């Protein structure tokens, strides 16, 4: 039994507590019937702990052991002194060294042959040789025997550390940590303390639920001391250090520090600029704080995936993903385009769970070229429909304006949708203009325009036609269009003698052709009207003067054409008449002033002799007025022919008025003064008489001045 207990104790002390070698070689030595079994090898121990010296002995048959005495003395000494006693089974022995008092005890006090002792609270100075002496009675006499064999003990500094046990930690759950002091000792209980250190912080003592208890009672004198710490674990505890410190006597301490790993996961976070300009770089960061680290997956709502920065077309239609197992993933897309806009999803996979993903709507800011669609050439009466649009994000502000004076409906239209439609119903030719479209995108303004042309296709009107009268062919072609059409007469290519008269009014062009009909072989004449948007042709049948009904219609056409000419001639006549009246009035005023200054008043008499030549230019103008009026009243073809003859004729003869100054009589100053006192005014009366004389050389028109005395004045007649 003794051997079994001793072997078991030796196994735990040396094997588990590392207080001695892994195996101990025990040697038994006998002298004169006294045998002792000790360890041959040196027994090592650490300061602050305890050490067991295994020992057993036997004596001769006549010796009865009563007390065991252990000495610590030099190994070469043959006998140890009483002053070197470190343990005595006799309690009242006062020779025990004070520093060993209470630190040494027997493992099996009830078994006298078991001399094994345990030394607690070791210090380095406890190193040395320990020898056993047995006191007893030999043959009725008090006797003792000191064994020569000794046990060597070596005490070094404390190396062993406390045993700290940390169970799996989960956020929100109650956790208990345990710390067991090193060694199997029955000496002074060590003090166990817990300290906690956060990241970058100083140590702080934990005053939680601390419990110290003894376990593993291998023997009555051996035990294991432990302490527990109970707390609610959280994410703040993750990565922090917990230290268990065991303090022994003589200021000997041992500690163990472990890092707490708490399984936890927090909410996903996403950082980055969600709006990026086209051509820049998109950087999005998705992270989640957790332990163990989560798997971050980036996905995009499209049929393409972006894994490790490369694009891959996936047949299953899933989105591309960028994975990082560090709990953080950065999605970076350089030189972004509008196709990179869309929803990006960040998902975290933690342990066997998938966290709710974060969705970010990425907007790429861009702007394409401004475009105007629609037909810029529109016919009169139709609707103008132009759409100005620009593809951009955010949508551009579109404004329609035009530089024309037209202020009708829909000339200024705005829209914030990136597209604006300009609609003008029932357009007129006046609406032809430059219509400007302006796009405002953020701080950028872009302008374009459309040149709108309102088209009036060339058309020949009903009042056009040709007639031969007095061997003269007169053709009138009246056409309208916008832009103004050009009228051509293919007939004129074969003739050299002709005249063309063209007049324009608004969008109407009137072309009249006059040429001799003697060499005319055609029975019809073609008029061609063209304005770039097409041409109109019409063939006129030549009407002869013997066809009264057709001639009457054509005369109506000529009357319409000649009215404009008559009006112009009439206005010219009025203008010339006004000029002549002004000149005559100025002459009369000048003559009156001169007559006042003369000392004698001259009396003007008229005579047909010694004529004074006065030019009467107005006669020709009056004659022209009469000619155009005859053209308007006398019929189409005859009036046109006469008008042409007047235009081709030479200048008219000048009409003269004669005044005979020899008939003037001088008045006396008295008569003159008397005459001035009267309220009557001397004046010259001008009368115009038109005489037409035709002889073989042509007609001549003249002005005849007839003399007539009236109230002492001169009368001028023409």
């Amino acid at each position: 039994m003794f051997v079994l207990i001793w072997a078991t104790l030796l196994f735990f002390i040396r094997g588990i507590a590392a207080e001695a070698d892994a195996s101990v070689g025990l040697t038994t030595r006998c002298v004169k019937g006294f045998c002792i079994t000790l360890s041959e090898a040196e027994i090592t121990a650490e300061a602050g702990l305890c050490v067991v010296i295994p020992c057993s002995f036997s004596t001769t048959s006549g010796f009865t052991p009563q007390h065991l005495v252990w000495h610590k003395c030099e190994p070469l000494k043959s006998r140890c002194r009483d002053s070197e006693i470190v343990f005595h089974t006799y309690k009242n022995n006062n020779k025990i060294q004070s520093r060993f008092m209470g630190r040494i005890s027997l493992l099996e006090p009830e078994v006298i042959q078991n001399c094994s002792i345990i030394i607690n609270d070791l210090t380095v100075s406890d190193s040395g040789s320990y020898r056993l002496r047995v006191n007893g009675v030999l043959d009725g006499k008090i006797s003792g025997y000191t064994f020569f064999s000794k046990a060597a003990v070596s005490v070094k500094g404390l190396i062993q550390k406390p045993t700290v046990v940390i169970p799996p930690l989960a956020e929100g759950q109650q956790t208990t940590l345990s710390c067991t002091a090193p060694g199997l000792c029955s000496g002074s209980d060590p003090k166990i303390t817990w300290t906690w250190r956060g990241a970058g912080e100083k140590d702080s003592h934990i005053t939680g639920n601390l419990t110290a208890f003894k376990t593993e009672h291998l023997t009555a004198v051996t035990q294991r001391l432990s302490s527990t710490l109970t707390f609610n674990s959280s994410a703040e505890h993750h990565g922090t250090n917990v230290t268990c410190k065991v303090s022994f006597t003589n200021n000997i301490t041992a500690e163990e520090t472990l890092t707490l790993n708490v399984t936890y996961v927090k909410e996903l976070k996403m950082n980055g600029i969600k709006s990026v300009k086209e051509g820049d770089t998109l950087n999005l960061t998705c992270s989640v704080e957790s332990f163990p680290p989560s798997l971050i997956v980036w996905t995009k709502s499209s049929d393409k995936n972006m894994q490790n920065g490369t694009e891959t077309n996936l047949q299953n239609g899933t989105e591309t993903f960028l994975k990082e197992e560090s709990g953080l993933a950065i999605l970076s897309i350089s030189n972004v385009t509008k196709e990179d806009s869309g929803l990006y999803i960040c998902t975290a996979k933690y342990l066997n769970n998938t966290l709710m993903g974060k969705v970010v709507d990425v907007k790429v800011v861009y702007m394409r070229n401004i475009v105007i669609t629609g037909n810029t050439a529109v016919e009169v009466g139709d609707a103008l429909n132009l759409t100005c649009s620009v593809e951009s994000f955010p949508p551009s502000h579109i404004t329609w304006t035009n530089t024309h004076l037209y202020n009708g409906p829909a000339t200024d239209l705005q829209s914030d949708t990136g597209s604006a439609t300009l609609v003008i119903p029932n357009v007129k030719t006046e609406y032809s203009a430059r219509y400007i479209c302006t796009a405002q995108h953020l701080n950028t303004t872009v302008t374009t325009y459309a040149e709108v042309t309102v088209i009036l296709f060339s058309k020949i009107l009903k009042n056009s036609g040709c007639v031969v009268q007095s061997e003269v062919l007169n053709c009138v072609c009246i056409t309208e269009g916008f832009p103004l059409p050009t009228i051509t007469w293919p007939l004129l290519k074969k003739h050299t003698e002709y005249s063309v008269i063209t007049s324009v009014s608004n969008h109407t062009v009137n072309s009249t052709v006059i040429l001799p009909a003697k060499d005319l072989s055609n029975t019809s004449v073609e008029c061609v009207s063209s304005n770039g948007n097409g041409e109109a042709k019409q063939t006129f049948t030549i009407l002869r003067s013997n066809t009264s009904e057709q001639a009457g219609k054509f005369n109506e056409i000529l009357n319409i054409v000649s009215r404009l000419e008559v009006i112009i001639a009439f206005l010219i006549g009025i203008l010339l008449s006004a000029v002549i009246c002004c000149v005559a009035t100025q002459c009369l005023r000048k003559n009156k002033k001169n007559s006042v200054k003369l000392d004698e008043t001259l009396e003007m008499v008229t005579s047909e002799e010694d004529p004074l030549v006065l030019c009467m230019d107005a006669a020709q103008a009056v004659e022209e007025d009469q000619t155009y009026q005859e053209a308007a009243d006398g019929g189409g073809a005859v009036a046109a022919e006469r008008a042409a003859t007047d235009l081709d004729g030479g200048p008219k003869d000048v009409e003269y008025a004669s005044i005979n100054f020899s008939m003037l009589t001088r008045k006396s100053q008295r008569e003159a003064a008397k005459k001035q006192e009267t309220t009557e005014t001397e004046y010259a009366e001008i009368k115009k008489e038109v005489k037409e004389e035709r002889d073989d050389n042509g007609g001549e028109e003249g002005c005849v001045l007839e003399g007539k005395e009236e109230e002492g004045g001169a009368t001028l007649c023409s």
Side-chain angles (χ1 to χ4, degrees):
M1 181 64 183
F2 167 75
V3 176
L4 179 60
I5 295 175
W6 176 79
T8 302
L9 178 62
L10 181 64
F11 172 76
F12 278 100
I13 293 175
R14 298 185 62 86
I16 299 177
E19 296 172 345
D21 293 336
S23 63
V24 179
L26 299 178
T27 302
T28 301
R29 295 181 184 275
C30 297
V31 178
K32 298 178 181 183
F34 286 89
C35 298
I36 189 170
T37 302
L38 292 174
S39 174
E40 287 185 345
E42 183 182 60
I43 301 173
T44 60
E46 297 179 13
L49 302 181
C50 60
V51 65
V52 174
I53 300 176
C55 175
S56 65
F57 70 95
S58 63
T59 62
T60 62
S61 59
F63 185 83
T64 302
Q66 292 181 342
H67 294 284
L68 301 179
V69 181
W70 281 93
H71 295 79
K72 180 180 179 292
C73 59
E74 296 296 328
L76 298 179
K77 288 183 178 181
S78 60
R79 185 181 180 86
C80 295
R81 298 188 301 269
D82 291 343
S83 60
E84 296 176 328
I85 296 174
V86 296
F87 176 76
H88 201 296
T89 57
Y90 181 62
K91 296 182 179 180
N92 295 326
N93 189 287
N94 55 4
K95 296 181 180 180
I96 300 174
Q97 294 183 26
S98 60
R99 66 187 188 91
F100 284 98
M101 290 292 291
R103 293 199 298 129
I104 301 176
S105 60
L106 291 173
L107 287 180
E108 293 288 340
E110 295 83 6
V111 182
I112 192 62
Q113 288 81 11
N114 187 358
C115 56
S116 300
I117 61 173
I118 180 171
I119 305 174
N120 294 305
D121 302 333
L122 288 175
T123 63
V124 177
S125 61
D126 294 336
S127 300
S129 297
Y130 292 83
R131 297 173 70 177
L132 176 63
R133 177 180 174 79
V134 179
N135 293 329
V137 177
L138 178 61
D139 297 332
K141 296 180 181 180
I142 297 175
S143 179
Y145 180 81
T146 300
F147 293 93
F148 184 77
S149 299
K150 53 187 174 299
V153 176
S154 176
V155 180
K156 298 180 180 180
L158 182 60
I159 298 176
Q160 293 186 60
K161 294 183 178 181
T163 301
V164 179
V165 178
I166 300 177
L169 304 179
E171 186 178 26
Q173 296 181 1
Q174 190 178 67
T175 303
T176 299
L177 308 183
S178 64
C179 177
T180 303
L184 297 171
C185 304
S186 60
S188 302
D189 292 339
K191 180 181 180 181
I192 300 177
T193 58
W194 294 86
T195 57
W196 175 80
R197 173 180 291 181
E201 298 180 4
K202 296 181 179 180
D203 293 341
S204 60
H205 291 279
I206 298 177
T207 58
N209 296 329
L210 298 178
T211 302
F213 56 93
K214 299 177 181 180
T215 60
E216 300 184 14
H217 292 274
L218 301 178
T219 66
V221 294
T222 61
Q223 58 190 4
R224 188 180 297 274
L225 189 67
S226 298
S227 176
T228 61
L229 172 64
T230 303
F231 64 97
N232 290 326
S233 59
S234 65
E236 286 71 20
H237 293 127
H238 177 73
T240 60
N241 296 327
V242 172
T243 300
C244 175
K245 183 177 181 180
V246 180
S247 300
F248 299 96
T249 57
N250 301 317
N251 295 325
I252 298 173
T253 60
E255 64 181 33
E256 177 70 349
T257 300
L258 295 179
T259 301
L260 299 181
N261 291 322
V262 181
T263 57
Y264 72 97
V265 62
K266 293 189 176 182
E267 187 178 357
L268 274 171
K269 294 181 180 180
M270 186 179 298
N271 298 318
I273 300 176
K274 303 176 184 178
S275 179
V276 59
K277 291 184 179 180
E278 188 174 32
D280 292 349
T281 300
L282 171 66
N283 287 314
L284 295 177
T285 300
C286 182
S287 62
V288 58
E289 185 180 348
S290 66
F291 180 82
S294 301
L295 174 66
I296 303 297
V297 180
W298 271 109
T299 59
K300 183 178 185 295
S301 298
S302 66
D303 56 355
K304 287 188 176 182
N305 252 340
M306 199 181 311
Q307 185 173 9
N308 298 328
T310 60
E311 292 189 1
T312 305
N313 292 327
L314 301 180
Q315 296 180 355
N316 57 7
T318 59
E319 293 78 9
T320 56
F321 57 90
L322 179 65
K323 297 192 294 186
E324 290 289 343
E325 296 184 359
S326 62
L328 183 145
I330 299 176
L331 176 64
S332 181
I333 303 176
S334 59
N335 194 22
V336 296
T337 62
K338 71 168 185 175
E339 287 74 17
D340 295 321
S341 298
L343 299 178
Y344 288 82
I345 305 171
C346 172
T347 305
K349 294 182 179 180
Y350 174 71
L351 299 178
N352 296 326
N353 300 321
T354 299
L355 302 181
M356 183 66 66
K358 288 286 186 178
V359 180
V360 56
D361 190 4
V362 174
K363 301 294 186 182
V364 177
V365 179
Y366 69 96
M367 182 180 185
R368 297 291 183 264
N369 293 331
I370 186 171
V371 177
I372 295 179
T373 57
N375 192 2
T376 57
V378 59
E379 192 173 355
V380 172
D382 291 347
L384 174 65
N385 193 325
L386 297 178
T387 299
C388 180
S389 61
V390 56
E391 184 182 357
S392 65
F393 181 83
S396 301
H397 180 78
I398 306 297
T399 303
W400 271 109
T401 56
N402 78 341
T403 58
H404 197 263
L405 295 178
Y406 168 69
N407 292 320
T411 56
D412 193 351
L413 189 146
Q414 299 184 10
S415 174
D416 291 325
T417 62
S419 177
T421 301
L422 174 67
V423 178
I424 302 178
N426 192 22
V427 296
K428 303 177 182 178
T429 56
E430 295 81 11
Y431 298 170
S432 295
R434 171 178 292 182
Y435 291 82
I436 300 174
C437 174
T438 303
Q440 180 72 37
H441 181 255
L442 299 179
N443 296 326
T444 302
T445 302
V446 180
T447 301
T448 187
Y449 61 88
E451 293 287 353
V452 175
T453 302
V454 180
I455 301 171
L456 178 60
F457 289 100
S458 180
K459 179 174 63 175
I460 298 176
L461 303 181
K462 297 180 181 180
N463 295 331
S464 302
C466 291
V467 65
V468 175
Q469 191 173 25
S470 301
E471 298 302 324
V472 176
L473 175 63
N474 293 272
C475 291
V476 177
C477 184
I478 304 174
T479 180
E480 68 175 357
F482 185 81
L484 284 174
T486 300
I487 299 177
T488 58
W489 299 89
L491 174 67
L492 300 182
K493 296 180 180 179
K494 301 178 181 180
H495 296 270
T496 58
E497 295 182 3
Y498 60 85
S499 62
V500 178
I501 301 173
T502 302
S503 60
V504 177
S505 175
N506 201 4
H507 302 303
T508 303
V509 178
N510 187 323
S511 178
T512 302
V513 174
I514 302 174
L515 72 161
K518 57 183 179 179
D519 298 329
L520 185 65
S521 61
N522 303 57
T523 60
S524 62
V525 176
E526 184 181 33
C527 173
V528 179
S529 175
S530 175
N531 65 349
N533 297 316
E535 64 179 16
K537 297 181 180 180
Q538 186 171 347
T539 302
F540 305 138
T541 300
I542 299 176
L543 303 178
R544 300 293 176 175
S545 59
N546 54 1
T547 306
S548 59
E549 182 178 356
Q550 295 179 350
K553 293 181 179 180
F554 190 70
N555 288 338
E556 294 178 1
I557 297 173
L558 293 180
N559 287 337
I560 295 173
V561 175
S562 61
R563 287 173 186 172
L564 179 62
E565 299 175 356
V566 171
I567 293 173
I568 295 174
F570 180 73
L571 294 176
I572 294 174
I574 293 176
L575 180 61
L576 293 177
S577 300
V579 172
I580 293 173
C581 292
C582 291
V583 172
T585 303
Q586 291 295 331
C587 292
L588 291 175
R589 291 178 179 177
K590 185 176 181 180
N591 291 335
K592 183 177 180 180
K593 290 179 180 180
N594 292 335
S595 62
V596 173
K597 293 179 181 180
L598 291 177
D599 295 335
E600 295 180 357
T601 304
L602 298 179
E603 181 178 359
M604 182 181 297
V605 295
T606 59
S607 176
E608 295 181 359
E609 298 177 358
D610 299 328
L612 178 64
V613 179
L614 298 176
C615 180
M616 304 297 291
D617 293 336
Q620 184 176 356
V622 173
E623 186 69 18
E624 290 176 357
D625 292 345
Q626 294 174 356
T627 303
Y628 283 107
Q629 187 65 37
E630 290 176 2
D633 300 333
V638 177
E641 181 180 2
R642 182 172 180 181
T645 305
D646 292 342
L647 291 174
D648 296 336
K652 300 297 182 178
D653 293 340
V654 179
E655 296 181 0
Y656 299 91
S658 59
I659 301 176
N660 190 353
F661 289 94
S662 62
M663 302 298 295
L664 297 175
T665 58
R666 187 180 302 271
K667 293 183 179 182
S668 63
Q669 294 181 355
R670 181 179 299 177
E671 293 176 348
K674 183 179 180 179
K675 192 69 175 180
Q676 291 178 359
E677 292 176 357
T678 64
T679 59
E680 297 179 355
T681 303
E682 297 180 0
Y683 62 94
E685 180 180 357
I686 300 175
K687 294 184 179 180
K688 182 179 179 181
E689 295 180 5
V690 179
K691 298 180 179 181
E692 297 182 358
E693 297 179 0
R694 299 188 178 274
D695 50 17
D696 296 337
N697 295 330
E700 294 181 356
E701 296 178 0
C703 179
V704 179
L705 182 66
E706 296 180 355
K708 180 181 179 181
E709 287 188 35
E710 243 181 44
E711 298 177 356
T715 302
L716 181 63
C717 53
S718 59

